[in-house]
Amino acid sequence: MAATLRDVTTYDLKLAAPLAAGFVLFFVTPLVILLALSFQTDPQGGHYGLTQYVNFLGDSFSLGVLGSTLWLGVKVTVLTLLLGYPVAWLHQRSPGWARGLIMLLVLLPLLTSVVVRTFAWVVILGRQGIVNATLSWIGLIDTPLKLLYTEGGVVVALAQVQMPLMVLPIITALSRIDPNFADASSVLGAGHWRTFRKVILPLSLPGIVAGCLLTYAAAITAFITQSLIGGGQMLFMPMYIYQQASTLQNWPFAAAISIVFLVSVLVVVSIFNALGRLSRGYANA
Amino acid sequence: MVSASPNGPASPRGQTLLLDGITQRYGTSLAVNEVTLDIRGGELVALLGPSGCGKTTLLRIIAGFLAQTKGHVMVGGKSVDGLPPNRRSVGIVFQNYALFPHMTVAENVAYGLDARGVDRATQRSEAQRMLDLVKLGHLGDRTPRQLSGGQQQRVALARALAVNPSILLLDEPFAALDKNLRLDMQIEVKRIQRLSGITTILVTHDQEEALSMADRVAVLSQGRLEQFSPPTEIYDAPDSLFVNTFVGSANLLGGVLVDSDRSAGRVRLDAGGLIETRAPKGDLQPGSRVTVCLRPEHLSVDPVGDDAETLNGVVEMGLPLGATVVHEIRVGDGTAVKVSEPRIQRTDLLAPGTPVRLAPVAPRLASVFAAA
Ligand SMILES: Nc1ncnc2c1ncn2[C@@H]1O[C@H](COP(=O)(O)OP(=O)(O)OP(=O)(O)O)[C@@H](O)[C@H]1O
Ligand SMILES: [Mg+2]
């Protein structure tokens, strides 16, 4: 028995070898190079030291970019949750055919390129875009509102682009909840709202946490959407790194801020993970 | 909880429940077909039937989870048809208990009181009182996962009863318990039901459970009500062939009705012999083909005699089953008939091949129905 089990394990490891090799070659190695690069004091090479990190952490502009990027992630995550939860809820409560339709609508964004989706938002939010055209046609505004190249625009576009990442985990969590719970709650005298607040919402927390984690990570690193909707006036970390590396050819500094960004994201992710474990324990207690 | 003798008659304090011509249609199929049940206050009624006969559907209609296609549900003489589940004042114990996993046992029990806006202190003391009633007063701080199946069921019962419902519904509440625990819980539920005097509907496909626990049993088949009677009547005087074969075991023998009146009938069996039966069900003329149902304990195995008018056969096999001995006898027309006798009366097993005569232990035990 033990021998069979060990055989199975070796077999499994061999199967994973190509993936592991790819992982080392294309992920770990570049990361190590990046880390090494970040300690170079000068773009032309030469000495190693903490200069780049000192530069970044001592520079209020750089810290501002980091702060606004992390904050952008929070806003996008909150908006996505507020819009996504009802969709997941609706999916759960619908009859079979409607479920399929809702699922298709949720997945649709994933089937088109991010670039295409983002340009769609440029069209929607532009000065002559759908929103402004509609508002002025109704007569609510005389001059077009500035929607494109605003943070609000970025948040809304990112929320739409990342929506599946929020909705899918919540749908999974909701579908795991025994339908008898809702029946038990209502027969004990609770209305829909109380049943939702006291039973459904707490039991779907693991899905909410997972969805928030995915959305957050995707939102703060969404280079294309951030830059196209945000335009030149707004600077977030991915674009900042790109400028330093590509435009200014300051590779060590770009590497250093990449590492700082990476660490910040890891901190946020581990907070989410801890929350996730807590909520799972809570839901399955 | 007011004291009442656990074995006393149904309490008059419970609400009456009337199911009036309930029909439930799913697409073109009828899950429940014109079921009418008039249930007295404080009565414990078992809904008994095979899988898919509409028991759960009926329960969900009473609870208000499902709006019936036709008919009315009346509690205490008032229609509850328009009321949502949270305003019907019913309590349910689900088959899987459905205890909220993210709440403690005490919070689960207090849930319904909280929903009714009862203040915290009262919630706590009521929950404690209910937990004491189900003998779990010391486990209020645990979560449901930390309880055994039987304990979870007690909590589910306490939670359902805490809001003082008019009707208690139990959907196969003992199905998930092992045999010993099941018996304990059956007694426990019966005790609490008697104490609280609450009108109770017990859904089950276990006939022993239905017969032992219920004041009256409603036997359902394919959405139709077959019989609604006290357990002994269900067993001794089944209204239909279905009830006779579904409840307890029965030997089915073909025959021809010789004559009958209101109290008895006589049937000439295809396998030989003339047998005196209960009055035939329905409008049967002498000479019609009938099916006679004889329970294994209605027969005794005797030595072959000279009398021609007897049911003769040959022993196929004998099994000692604790308190009883069961013989399988192959009779004249090839049917295998089971006979169960107390072992005090029959200490020796009959050897296979022994010719025997089967005789009813008393007249008019067998039921007669029109041949299928
Ligand atoms: N939502 C539904 N849609 C269509 N048909 C249904 C639905 N629910 C139940 N039925 C059908 O109605 C009939 C009765 O179902 P019900 O669940 O009431 O049976 P039951 O007596 O509780 O059976 P069991 O002992 O297996 O629980 C079955 O034939 C079932 O297939
Ligand atoms: Mg059922």
Side-chain angles (χ1 to χ4, degrees):
Chain A
M1 191 65 194
T4 339
L5 278 182
R6 202 173 44 238
D7 285 348
V8 168
T9 335
T10 14
Y11 194 59
D12 276 354
L13 281 181
K14 258 187 251 154
L15 277 178
L19 184 64
F23 186 72
V24 169
L25 196 62
F26 299 111
F27 183 73
V28 178
T29 313
L31 203 61
V32 170
I33 295 173
L34 192 72
L35 194 63
L37 202 58
S38 75
F39 288 112
Q40 276 189 10
T41 49
D42 194 270
Q44 266 64 53
H47 305 294
Y48 286 85
L50 290 172
T51 324
Q52 306 298 351
Y53 290 95
V54 173
N55 283 352
F56 181 90
L57 296 173
D59 177 19
S60 63
F61 175 78
S62 298
L63 287 177
V65 174
L66 177 64
S68 63
T69 307
L70 297 178
W71 185 229
L72 174 77
V74 173
K75 290 185 204 166
V76 173
T77 306
V78 169
L79 182 65
T80 315
L81 177 62
L82 291 181
L83 296 175
Y85 200 100
V87 176
W89 170 252
L90 194 67
H91 176 271
Q92 195 54 31
R93 305 284 305 216
S94 300
W97 63 269
R99 278 189 187 202
L101 190 67
I102 294 170
M103 187 53 93
L104 181 72
L105 291 177
V106 167
L107 291 179
L108 214 50
L110 291 181
L111 304 178
T112 45
S113 141
V114 180
V115 180
V116 175
R117 276 183 279 161
T118 303
F119 271 114
W121 276 103
V122 172
V123 172
I124 292 169
L125 299 176
R127 291 183 69 84
Q128 261 75 51
I130 296 169
V131 176
N132 273 321
T134 311
L135 287 179
S136 68
W137 183 72
I138 298 172
L140 279 177
I141 51 168
D142 296 328
T143 50
L145 295 174
K146 185 173 154 70
L147 300 169
L148 200 58
Y149 310 132
T150 63
E151 200 186 3
V154 176
V155 170
V156 170
L158 276 175
Q160 190 268 331
V161 169
Q162 318 298 359
M163 192 59 80
L165 301 179
M166 181 64 86
V167 176
L168 293 178
I170 297 180
I171 284 180
T172 309
L174 286 176
S175 68
R176 287 216 192 108
I177 300 176
D178 181 352
N180 280 349
F181 287 155
D183 284 349
S185 170
S186 75
V187 101
L188 285 166
H192 292 304
W193 175 237
R194 174 180 283 269
T195 299
F196 175 73
R197 210 162 35 93
K198 295 275 185 176
V199 179
I200 306 298
L201 188 61
L203 291 178
S204 62
L205 266 184
I208 294 177
V209 172
C212 287
L213 175 61
L214 292 173
T215 310
Y216 187 84
I220 57 174
T221 53
F223 179 75
I224 296 169
T225 311
Q226 285 173 2
S227 347
L228 285 179
I229 310 282
Q233 288 105 318
M234 245 167 300
L235 190 58
F236 298 107
M237 286 302 276
M239 188 55 166
Y240 191 36
I241 295 167
Y242 174 78
Q243 283 177 353
Q244 293 300 323
S246 207
T247 318
L248 303 174
Q249 292 289 313
N250 192 349
W251 286 90
F253 188 62
I257 56 181
S258 298
I259 298 290
V260 171
F261 189 40
L262 186 69
V263 170
S264 323
V265 174
L266 281 180
V267 168
V268 174
V269 166
S270 30
I271 292 174
F272 270 116
N273 259 337
L275 279 180
R277 260 197 301 282
L278 261 180
S279 73
R280 258 198 306 283
Y282 182 56
N284 300 336
Chain B
M1 299 294 123
V2 192
S3 66
S5 157
N7 296 314
S11 155
R13 288 176 304 110
Q15 300 271 16
T16 59
L17 172 64
L18 173 65
L19 303 183
D20 186 8
I22 301 286
T23 295
Q24 180 64 40
R25 196 182 286 281
Y26 287 119
T28 53
S29 71
L30 281 172
V32 176
N33 190 356
E34 288 286 336
V35 169
T36 296
L37 288 174
D38 192 352
I39 296 164
R40 292 188 282 265
E43 203 174 11
L44 198 165
V45 167
L47 295 184
L48 176 65
S51 188
C53 70
K55 306 181 296 285
T56 300
T57 305
L58 213 45
L59 213 63
R60 295 182 66 80
I61 288 171
I62 299 171
F65 298 142
L66 198 61
Q68 66 272 25
T69 315
K70 246 172 63 189
H72 303 284
V73 179
M74 321 269 279
V75 175
K78 283 199 276 293
S79 165
V80 295
D81 291 335
L83 296 180
N86 56 333
R87 295 187 42 216
R88 283 209 179 180
S89 181
V90 298
I92 297 197
V93 176
F94 292 90
Q95 180 172 340
N96 64 356
Y97 317 135
L99 295 175
F100 304 129
H102 57 299
M103 299 181 192
T104 65
V105 164
E107 283 166 352
N108 263 282
V109 177
Y111 187 89
L113 298 167
D114 193 34
R116 280 167 173 69
V118 173
D119 67 88
R120 281 287 142 115
T122 317
Q123 277 180 37
R124 209 167 306 135
S125 64
E126 269 302 289
Q128 187 58 45
R129 199 173 66 83
M130 294 314 299
L131 284 173
D132 287 338
L133 177 74
V134 297
K135 300 176 182 160
L136 288 179
H138 54 299
L139 296 181
D141 294 330
R142 295 234 189 132
T143 60
R145 288 278 160 89
Q146 295 167 320
L147 300 182
S148 72
Q151 289 170 333
Q152 288 185 26
Q153 180 167 60
R154 286 165 203 252
V155 175
L157 189 63
R159 181 178 72 175
L161 289 174
V163 294
N164 203 8
S166 319
I167 310 283
L168 179 63
L169 306 175
L170 309 168
D171 191 359
E172 311 238 3
F174 311 111
L177 303 177
D178 65 51
K179 205 165 164 114
N180 289 330
L181 191 56
R182 193 179 310 170
L183 190 61
D184 287 349
M185 282 311 297
Q186 286 170 351
I187 294 169
E188 182 76 4
V189 166
K190 182 89 179 174
R191 175 184 74 89
I192 291 166
Q193 194 264 337
R194 279 285 177 263
L195 275 175
S196 58
I198 183 170
T199 310
T200 302
I201 309 267
L202 167 72
V203 161
T204 180
H205 58 243
D206 177 348
Q207 40 152 320
E208 277 179 39
E209 182 172 298
L211 296 184
S212 64
M213 289 190 71
D215 297 312
R216 280 193 289 170
V217 178
V219 183
L220 295 168
S221 165
Q222 297 181 352
R224 283 195 164 277
L225 181 63
E226 292 276 332
Q227 188 169 2
F228 184 35
S229 312
T232 46
E233 214 170 294
I234 294 274
Y235 191 84
D236 296 335
D239 274 349
S240 66
L241 188 58
F242 173 82
V243 176
N244 201 328
T245 50
F246 186 73
V247 179
S249 52
N251 296 301
L252 304 186
L253 292 169
V256 174
L257 189 64
V258 175
D259 55 27
S260 68
D261 57 27
R262 276 211 197 147
S263 59
R266 285 194 305 156
V267 175
R268 184 170 308 283
L269 297 173
D270 297 344
L274 191 67
I275 187 167
E276 195 172 346
T277 66
R278 297 196 306 118
K281 280 289 161 194
D283 202 14
L284 287 178
Q285 298 304 314
S288 30
R289 297 274 321 150
V290 291
T291 300
V292 174
C293 294
L294 278 160
R295 298 207 182 274
E297 69 272 21
H298 289 165
L299 291 165
S300 69
V301 184
D302 301 332
V304 188
D306 309 328
D307 193 351
E309 292 280 14
T310 54
L311 179 57
N312 294 335
V314 175
V315 174
E316 291 251 304
M317 167 161 59
L319 296 171
L321 294 179
T324 59
V325 177
V326 173
H327 282 103
E328 196 167 74
I329 317 281
R330 182 79 53 191
V331 293
D333 64 347
T335 318
V337 174
K338 282 195 182 62
V339 180
S340 157
E341 295 163 296
R343 219 149 56 97
I344 318 170
Q345 284 169 23
R346 178 171 293 284
T347 46
D348 53 326
L349 282 182
L350 294 169
T354 316
V356 291
R357 179 171 69 98
L358 296 178
V361 294
R364 291 179 224 166
L365 288 175
S367 305
V368 184
F369 306 99

PDB file of all heavy atoms in Angstrom, chain B residues 26-27 29-32 49-58 66 95 171-172 203-205 220, ligand 1:
ATOM      1  N   TYR B  26     -46.859  19.671 -11.328  1.00  0.00           N
ATOM      2  CA  TYR B  26     -45.566  20.124 -11.877  1.00  0.00           C
ATOM      3  C   TYR B  26     -45.638  19.878 -13.369  1.00  0.00           C
ATOM      4  O   TYR B  26     -45.551  18.732 -13.803  1.00  0.00           O
ATOM      5  CB  TYR B  26     -44.407  19.331 -11.297  1.00  0.00           C
ATOM      6  CG  TYR B  26     -44.072  19.653  -9.867  1.00  0.00           C
ATOM      7  CD1 TYR B  26     -44.156  18.679  -8.892  1.00  0.00           C
ATOM      8  CD2 TYR B  26     -43.643  20.925  -9.506  1.00  0.00           C
ATOM      9  CE1 TYR B  26     -43.825  18.964  -7.579  1.00  0.00           C
ATOM     10  CE2 TYR B  26     -43.315  21.223  -8.209  1.00  0.00           C
ATOM     11  CZ  TYR B  26     -43.407  20.240  -7.242  1.00  0.00           C
ATOM     12  OH  TYR B  26     -43.080  20.518  -5.955  1.00  0.00           O
ATOM     13  N   GLY B  27     -45.819  20.936 -14.139  1.00  0.00           N
ATOM     14  CA  GLY B  27     -45.986  20.734 -15.575  1.00  0.00           C
ATOM     15  C   GLY B  27     -47.222  19.892 -15.813  1.00  0.00           C
ATOM     16  O   GLY B  27     -48.323  20.299 -15.453  1.00  0.00           O
ATOM     17  N   SER B  29     -47.370  16.616 -14.732  1.00  0.00           N
ATOM     18  CA  SER B  29     -47.491  15.530 -13.759  1.00  0.00           C
ATOM     19  C   SER B  29     -48.094  16.026 -12.448  1.00  0.00           C
ATOM     20  O   SER B  29     -47.875  17.162 -12.031  1.00  0.00           O
ATOM     21  CB  SER B  29     -46.114  14.912 -13.497  1.00  0.00           C
ATOM     22  OG  SER B  29     -45.330  15.810 -12.753  1.00  0.00           O
ATOM     23  N   LEU B  30     -48.872  15.165 -11.829  1.00  0.00           N
ATOM     24  CA  LEU B  30     -49.506  15.501 -10.564  1.00  0.00           C
ATOM     25  C   LEU B  30     -48.666  14.942  -9.424  1.00  0.00           C
ATOM     26  O   LEU B  30     -48.560  13.734  -9.267  1.00  0.00           O
ATOM     27  CB  LEU B  30     -50.901  14.895 -10.510  1.00  0.00           C
ATOM     28  CG  LEU B  30     -52.011  15.629 -11.262  1.00  0.00           C
ATOM     29  CD1 LEU B  30     -53.278  14.801 -11.270  1.00  0.00           C
ATOM     30  CD2 LEU B  30     -52.273  16.979 -10.622  1.00  0.00           C
ATOM     31  N   ALA B  31     -48.070  15.815  -8.632  1.00  0.00           N
ATOM     32  CA  ALA B  31     -47.277  15.348  -7.493  1.00  0.00           C
ATOM     33  C   ALA B  31     -48.196  15.051  -6.313  1.00  0.00           C
ATOM     34  O   ALA B  31     -47.971  14.125  -5.547  1.00  0.00           O
ATOM     35  CB  ALA B  31     -46.241  16.390  -7.111  1.00  0.00           C
ATOM     36  N   VAL B  32     -49.242  15.874  -6.166  1.00  0.00           N
ATOM     37  CA  VAL B  32     -50.247  15.646  -5.126  1.00  0.00           C
ATOM     38  C   VAL B  32     -51.606  15.773  -5.798  1.00  0.00           C
ATOM     39  O   VAL B  32     -51.843  16.710  -6.562  1.00  0.00           O
ATOM     40  CB  VAL B  32     -50.117  16.680  -3.986  1.00  0.00           C
ATOM     41  CG1 VAL B  32     -51.231  16.496  -2.968  1.00  0.00           C
ATOM     42  CG2 VAL B  32     -48.758  16.563  -3.307  1.00  0.00           C
ATOM     43  N   GLY B  49     -45.530   6.822   2.758  1.00  0.00           N
ATOM     44  CA  GLY B  49     -45.657   6.447   1.355  1.00  0.00           C
ATOM     45  C   GLY B  49     -44.298   6.203   0.749  1.00  0.00           C
ATOM     46  O   GLY B  49     -43.288   6.624   1.307  1.00  0.00           O
ATOM     47  N   PRO B  50     -44.264   5.540  -0.399  1.00  0.00           N
ATOM     48  CA  PRO B  50     -42.982   5.271  -1.038  1.00  0.00           C
ATOM     49  C   PRO B  50     -42.352   6.545  -1.592  1.00  0.00           C
ATOM     50  O   PRO B  50     -43.008   7.581  -1.652  1.00  0.00           O
ATOM     51  CB  PRO B  50     -43.353   4.313  -2.178  1.00  0.00           C
ATOM     52  CG  PRO B  50     -44.780   4.574  -2.449  1.00  0.00           C
ATOM     53  CD  PRO B  50     -45.406   5.016  -1.167  1.00  0.00           C
ATOM     54  N   SER B  51     -41.113   6.465  -1.991  1.00  0.00           N
ATOM     55  CA  SER B  51     -40.385   7.612  -2.525  1.00  0.00           C
ATOM     56  C   SER B  51     -41.124   8.198  -3.728  1.00  0.00           C
ATOM     57  O   SER B  51     -41.585   7.467  -4.591  1.00  0.00           O
ATOM     58  CB  SER B  51     -38.983   7.158  -2.928  1.00  0.00           C
ATOM     59  OG  SER B  51     -38.226   8.281  -3.264  1.00  0.00           O
ATOM     60  N   GLY B  52     -41.253   9.528  -3.725  1.00  0.00           N
ATOM     61  CA  GLY B  52     -41.865  10.200  -4.860  1.00  0.00           C
ATOM     62  C   GLY B  52     -43.378  10.264  -4.816  1.00  0.00           C
ATOM     63  O   GLY B  52     -44.006  10.662  -5.792  1.00  0.00           O
ATOM     64  N   CYS B  53     -43.985   9.898  -3.680  1.00  0.00           N
ATOM     65  CA  CYS B  53     -45.452   9.889  -3.626  1.00  0.00           C
ATOM     66  C   CYS B  53     -46.018  11.257  -3.270  1.00  0.00           C
ATOM     67  O   CYS B  53     -47.226  11.444  -3.247  1.00  0.00           O
ATOM     68  CB  CYS B  53     -45.950   8.842  -2.633  1.00  0.00           C
ATOM     69  SG  CYS B  53     -45.612   9.289  -0.925  1.00  0.00           S
ATOM     70  N   GLY B  54     -45.150  12.227  -2.977  1.00  0.00           N
ATOM     71  CA  GLY B  54     -45.636  13.583  -2.738  1.00  0.00           C
ATOM     72  C   GLY B  54     -45.623  14.034  -1.286  1.00  0.00           C
ATOM     73  O   GLY B  54     -46.216  15.053  -0.953  1.00  0.00           O
ATOM     74  N   LYS B  55     -44.910  13.325  -0.431  1.00  0.00           N
ATOM     75  CA  LYS B  55     -44.899  13.675   0.992  1.00  0.00           C
ATOM     76  C   LYS B  55     -44.242  15.033   1.224  1.00  0.00           C
ATOM     77  O   LYS B  55     -44.813  15.907   1.878  1.00  0.00           O
ATOM     78  CB  LYS B  55     -44.138  12.602   1.798  1.00  0.00           C
ATOM     79  CG  LYS B  55     -44.648  11.189   1.595  1.00  0.00           C
ATOM     80  CD  LYS B  55     -43.884  10.202   2.428  1.00  0.00           C
ATOM     81  CE  LYS B  55     -42.419  10.077   2.054  1.00  0.00           C
ATOM     82  NZ  LYS B  55     -42.167   9.331   0.806  1.00  0.00           N
ATOM     83  N   THR B  56     -43.030  15.193   0.679  1.00  0.00           N
ATOM     84  CA  THR B  56     -42.315  16.454   0.874  1.00  0.00           C
ATOM     85  C   THR B  56     -43.078  17.605   0.231  1.00  0.00           C
ATOM     86  O   THR B  56     -43.171  18.698   0.796  1.00  0.00           O
ATOM     87  CB  THR B  56     -40.896  16.354   0.283  1.00  0.00           C
ATOM     88  OG1 THR B  56     -40.204  15.308   0.949  1.00  0.00           O
ATOM     89  CG2 THR B  56     -40.135  17.638   0.464  1.00  0.00           C
ATOM     90  N   THR B  57     -43.645  17.353  -0.933  1.00  0.00           N
ATOM     91  CA  THR B  57     -44.421  18.388  -1.613  1.00  0.00           C
ATOM     92  C   THR B  57     -45.554  18.874  -0.715  1.00  0.00           C
ATOM     93  O   THR B  57     -45.767  20.080  -0.553  1.00  0.00           O
ATOM     94  CB  THR B  57     -44.988  17.828  -2.929  1.00  0.00           C
ATOM     95  OG1 THR B  57     -43.919  17.303  -3.704  1.00  0.00           O
ATOM     96  CG2 THR B  57     -45.707  18.895  -3.708  1.00  0.00           C
ATOM     97  N   LEU B  58     -46.255  17.949  -0.098  1.00  0.00           N
ATOM     98  CA  LEU B  58     -47.356  18.296   0.795  1.00  0.00           C
ATOM     99  C   LEU B  58     -46.848  19.130   1.981  1.00  0.00           C
ATOM    100  O   LEU B  58     -47.462  20.128   2.372  1.00  0.00           O
ATOM    101  CB  LEU B  58     -48.011  16.992   1.284  1.00  0.00           C
ATOM    102  CG  LEU B  58     -49.509  16.980   1.547  1.00  0.00           C
ATOM    103  CD1 LEU B  58     -50.267  17.657   0.416  1.00  0.00           C
ATOM    104  CD2 LEU B  58     -49.999  15.552   1.720  1.00  0.00           C
ATOM    105  N   LEU B  66     -44.343  26.512  -1.083  1.00  0.00           N
ATOM    106  CA  LEU B  66     -44.866  26.151  -2.391  1.00  0.00           C
ATOM    107  C   LEU B  66     -46.348  26.516  -2.364  1.00  0.00           C
ATOM    108  O   LEU B  66     -47.034  26.208  -1.397  1.00  0.00           O
ATOM    109  CB  LEU B  66     -44.696  24.633  -2.549  1.00  0.00           C
ATOM    110  CG  LEU B  66     -44.762  23.996  -3.891  1.00  0.00           C
ATOM    111  CD1 LEU B  66     -43.660  24.549  -4.770  1.00  0.00           C
ATOM    112  CD2 LEU B  66     -44.557  22.494  -3.738  1.00  0.00           C
ATOM    113  N   GLN B  95     -34.785  17.187   7.231  1.00  0.00           N
ATOM    114  CA  GLN B  95     -34.109  15.900   7.277  1.00  0.00           C
ATOM    115  C   GLN B  95     -32.637  16.058   7.611  1.00  0.00           C
ATOM    116  O   GLN B  95     -32.074  15.275   8.367  1.00  0.00           O
ATOM    117  CB  GLN B  95     -34.276  15.174   5.942  1.00  0.00           C
ATOM    118  CG  GLN B  95     -33.604  13.826   5.935  1.00  0.00           C
ATOM    119  CD  GLN B  95     -33.926  13.034   4.694  1.00  0.00           C
ATOM    120  OE1 GLN B  95     -34.914  13.295   4.013  1.00  0.00           O
ATOM    121  NE2 GLN B  95     -33.099  12.063   4.381  1.00  0.00           N
ATOM    122  N   ASP B 171     -39.773  16.385   8.513  1.00  0.00           N
ATOM    123  CA  ASP B 171     -39.538  15.713   7.228  1.00  0.00           C
ATOM    124  C   ASP B 171     -38.481  14.628   7.399  1.00  0.00           C
ATOM    125  O   ASP B 171     -37.304  14.931   7.497  1.00  0.00           O
ATOM    126  CB  ASP B 171     -39.101  16.721   6.171  1.00  0.00           C
ATOM    127  CG  ASP B 171     -39.116  16.113   4.771  1.00  0.00           C
ATOM    128  OD1 ASP B 171     -39.454  14.905   4.645  1.00  0.00           O
ATOM    129  OD2 ASP B 171     -38.785  16.817   3.809  1.00  0.00           O
ATOM    130  N   GLU B 172     -38.901  13.391   7.427  1.00  0.00           N
ATOM    131  CA  GLU B 172     -37.999  12.251   7.602  1.00  0.00           C
ATOM    132  C   GLU B 172     -36.946  12.543   8.667  1.00  0.00           C
ATOM    133  O   GLU B 172     -35.753  12.459   8.396  1.00  0.00           O
ATOM    134  CB  GLU B 172     -37.292  11.937   6.272  1.00  0.00           C
ATOM    135  CG  GLU B 172     -38.257  11.847   5.117  1.00  0.00           C
ATOM    136  CD  GLU B 172     -38.199  10.519   4.416  1.00  0.00           C
ATOM    137  OE1 GLU B 172     -37.453   9.638   4.865  1.00  0.00           O
ATOM    138  OE2 GLU B 172     -38.935  10.358   3.424  1.00  0.00           O
ATOM    139  N   VAL B 203     -43.342  13.160   8.309  1.00  0.00           N
ATOM    140  CA  VAL B 203     -43.194  12.534   7.000  1.00  0.00           C
ATOM    141  C   VAL B 203     -42.215  11.372   7.111  1.00  0.00           C
ATOM    142  O   VAL B 203     -41.147  11.521   7.699  1.00  0.00           O
ATOM    143  CB  VAL B 203     -42.671  13.549   5.963  1.00  0.00           C
ATOM    144  CG1 VAL B 203     -42.077  12.845   4.760  1.00  0.00           C
ATOM    145  CG2 VAL B 203     -43.784  14.468   5.530  1.00  0.00           C
ATOM    146  N   THR B 204     -42.581  10.237   6.590  1.00  0.00           N
ATOM    147  CA  THR B 204     -41.680   9.093   6.690  1.00  0.00           C
ATOM    148  C   THR B 204     -41.995   8.065   5.618  1.00  0.00           C
ATOM    149  O   THR B 204     -43.106   8.006   5.107  1.00  0.00           O
ATOM    150  CB  THR B 204     -41.792   8.436   8.081  1.00  0.00           C
ATOM    151  OG1 THR B 204     -40.902   7.339   8.139  1.00  0.00           O
ATOM    152  CG2 THR B 204     -43.201   7.975   8.374  1.00  0.00           C
ATOM    153  N   HIS B 205     -40.976   7.302   5.224  1.00  0.00           N
ATOM    154  CA  HIS B 205     -41.326   6.155   4.396  1.00  0.00           C
ATOM    155  C   HIS B 205     -41.056   4.855   5.159  1.00  0.00           C
ATOM    156  O   HIS B 205     -41.050   3.775   4.589  1.00  0.00           O
ATOM    157  CB  HIS B 205     -40.626   6.190   3.034  1.00  0.00           C
ATOM    158  CG  HIS B 205     -39.129   6.240   3.123  1.00  0.00           C
ATOM    159  ND1 HIS B 205     -38.394   7.290   2.648  1.00  0.00           N
ATOM    160  CD2 HIS B 205     -38.254   5.384   3.638  1.00  0.00           C
ATOM    161  CE1 HIS B 205     -37.132   7.070   2.878  1.00  0.00           C
ATOM    162  NE2 HIS B 205     -36.998   5.917   3.474  1.00  0.00           N
ATOM    163  N   LEU B 220     -50.003   7.511   1.427  1.00  0.00           N
ATOM    164  CA  LEU B 220     -50.076   8.143   0.109  1.00  0.00           C
ATOM    165  C   LEU B 220     -49.448   7.232  -0.928  1.00  0.00           C
ATOM    166  O   LEU B 220     -48.486   6.522  -0.646  1.00  0.00           O
ATOM    167  CB  LEU B 220     -49.311   9.468   0.110  1.00  0.00           C
ATOM    168  CG  LEU B 220     -49.831  10.585   1.002  1.00  0.00           C
ATOM    169  CD1 LEU B 220     -48.793  11.686   1.093  1.00  0.00           C
ATOM    170  CD2 LEU B 220     -51.132  11.128   0.456  1.00  0.00           C
TER     171      LEU B 220
HETATM  172  N1  LIG C   1     -39.700  21.045  -8.358  1.00  0.00           N
HETATM  173  C1  LIG C   1     -40.230  19.960  -8.967  1.00  0.00           C
HETATM  174  N2  LIG C   1     -40.446  19.951 -10.288  1.00  0.00           N
HETATM  175  C2  LIG C   1     -41.002  18.892 -10.903  1.00  0.00           C
HETATM  176  N3  LIG C   1     -41.367  17.752 -10.283  1.00  0.00           N
HETATM  177  C3  LIG C   1     -41.177  17.686  -8.960  1.00  0.00           C
HETATM  178  C4  LIG C   1     -40.592  18.781  -8.228  1.00  0.00           C
HETATM  179  N4  LIG C   1     -40.526  18.424  -6.930  1.00  0.00           N
HETATM  180  C5  LIG C   1     -41.032  17.182  -6.850  1.00  0.00           C
HETATM  181  N5  LIG C   1     -41.430  16.738  -8.064  1.00  0.00           N
HETATM  182  C6  LIG C   1     -42.059  15.440  -8.340  1.00  0.00           C
HETATM  183  O1  LIG C   1     -43.202  15.324  -7.534  1.00  0.00           O
HETATM  184  C7  LIG C   1     -43.308  14.023  -6.999  1.00  0.00           C
HETATM  185  C8  LIG C   1     -43.379  14.043  -5.502  1.00  0.00           C
HETATM  186  O2  LIG C   1     -42.155  14.505  -4.960  1.00  0.00           O
HETATM  187  P1  LIG C   1     -41.869  14.589  -3.411  1.00  0.00           P
HETATM  188  O3  LIG C   1     -40.542  15.216  -3.236  1.00  0.00           O
HETATM  189  O4  LIG C   1     -43.016  15.262  -2.745  1.00  0.00           O
HETATM  190  O5  LIG C   1     -41.809  13.059  -3.017  1.00  0.00           O
HETATM  191  P2  LIG C   1     -41.568  12.408  -1.582  1.00  0.00           P
HETATM  192  O6  LIG C   1     -42.790  11.647  -1.239  1.00  0.00           O
HETATM  193  O7  LIG C   1     -41.121  13.431  -0.609  1.00  0.00           O
HETATM  194  O8  LIG C   1     -40.402  11.387  -1.902  1.00  0.00           O
HETATM  195  P3  LIG C   1     -39.125  10.982  -1.020  1.00  0.00           P
HETATM  196  O9  LIG C   1     -39.592   9.934  -0.052  1.00  0.00           O
HETATM  197  O10 LIG C   1     -38.195  10.413  -2.047  1.00  0.00           O
HETATM  198  O11 LIG C   1     -38.595  12.210  -0.369  1.00  0.00           O
HETATM  199  C9  LIG C   1     -42.115  13.242  -7.527  1.00  0.00           C
HETATM  200  O12 LIG C   1     -42.553  12.463  -8.607  1.00  0.00           O
HETATM  201  C10 LIG C   1     -41.161  14.297  -7.968  1.00  0.00           C
HETATM  202  O13 LIG C   1     -40.415  13.845  -9.077  1.00  0.00           O
END
